[in-house]
Amino acid sequence: MQQFVETIKIEDGKALNLNFHQARMERTMRHFFADAPVPALADVLSPTPDMHLYKARVVYGGQGVEDVQYAPYKMREIRSLKLVEDNEIDYSFKSTDRACLNSLTAQKGDCDEVLIVKNGLLTDTSFTNIAVFDGERWLTPKHPLLMGTKRASLLEKHVLKEADISVETLMNAQKVSLINAMIDLGEIEITTQMVNQGL
């Protein structure tokens, strides 16, 4: 049975961006388990006030929510990216099965993380969406591997603009920011000089 996951930021006892996580969970449930009721994340989560910066991991499937875990969050240090190419990869739903991503991560070499190129265009890293700053605005790939919740929130606020981003566009830009439910725009930035074009 396939399992899916939502990773939710807990800050000072509050679950953030829940409406975006709920919407993604509903899309996933409708696609894979059309007849199953969709759990309400607000009912499943029970963060406590002493959780100043925690990650909640909710695993679910056709039977509903199967596991909820909380852990203190420590941000990874990412200073360099390696471009890797995979024109067949599909990670449209946030599954617990990350085999396709793990095989690409294994190609990172001396870099801290991979940036996946599909059909000539940038998509995501192995665990985040990306935004590219071209000197004037923040662009995010129009076709990421996964429609992230932070990405959705920043698009709704018009902080990001969707675009097809080629490797050339990236190398002419200033920097890349990694974003996901736990990482805000600007918290992890990599200059384009630190991107290894190892395609």
Side-chain angles (χ1 to χ4, degrees):
M1 179 79 74
Q2 277 186 292
Q3 289 183 313
F4 300 90
V5 61
E6 285 297 325
T7 303
I8 299 155
K9 187 175 189 175
I10 307 293
E11 198 168 66
D12 296 328
K14 291 189 174 64
L16 304 186
N17 248 6
L18 261 195
N19 54 330
F20 290 99
H21 288 287
Q22 186 69 41
R24 183 167 63 185
M25 183 192 241
E26 287 175 5
R27 281 197 306 274
T28 304
M29 291 289 290
R30 275 203 302 271
H31 187 271
F32 290 95
F33 317 110
D35 299 329
V38 180
L41 285 170
D43 297 338
V44 170
L45 294 168
S46 51
T48 54
D50 60 339
M51 292 182 181
H52 298 300
L53 184 56
Y54 268 64
K55 176 167 77 172
R57 187 172 188 271
V58 178
V59 176
Y60 65 98
Q63 304 303 309
V65 171
E66 296 168 22
D67 189 35
V68 182
Q69 294 181 2
Y70 301 92
Y73 180 70
K74 188 175 188 312
M75 199 172 293
R76 284 168 57 181
E77 197 167 300
I78 309 279
R79 292 182 177 171
S80 59
L81 297 171
K82 181 174 180 182
L83 298 182
V84 296
E85 191 170 26
D86 187 337
N87 295 331
E88 306 301 324
I89 189 169
D90 181 6
Y91 190 71
S92 309
F93 297 92
K94 194 170 169 66
S95 168
T96 54
D97 179 1
R98 291 175 48 86
C100 60
L101 297 170
N102 294 340
S103 67
L104 293 176
T105 305
Q107 300 175 34
K108 69 182 181 180
D110 294 335
C111 294
D112 296 323
E113 177 55 40
V114 293
L115 176 48
I116 301 158
V117 178
K118 182 175 181 179
N119 299 323
L121 298 174
L122 304 188
T123 61
D124 294 334
T125 74
S126 72
F127 75 110
T128 71
N129 292 135
I130 63 162
V132 174
F133 188 65
D134 66 2
E136 294 181 3
R137 58 197 174 158
W138 284 102
L139 304 174
T140 195
K142 192 182 291 184
H143 302 289
L145 297 181
L146 181 72
M147 298 284 189
T149 55
K150 175 67 67 177
R151 175 184 179 277
S153 166
L154 292 170
L155 282 170
E156 187 175 273
K157 295 171 184 167
H158 304 292
V159 174
L160 300 181
K161 179 178 171 54
E162 287 186 312
D164 286 330
I165 307 172
S166 66
V167 174
E168 184 182 3
T169 301
L170 168 68
M171 300 320 289
N172 288 327
Q174 294 183 3
K175 58 188 176 181
V176 186
S177 180
L178 308 192
I179 52 172
N180 67 16
M182 303 300 299
I183 305 168
D184 287 319
L185 185 69
E187 285 192 305
I188 296 182
E189 290 186 347
I190 299 105
T191 63
T192 49
Q193 288 84 356
M194 296 302 290
V195 178
N196 178 343
Q197 297 184 65
L199 295 174

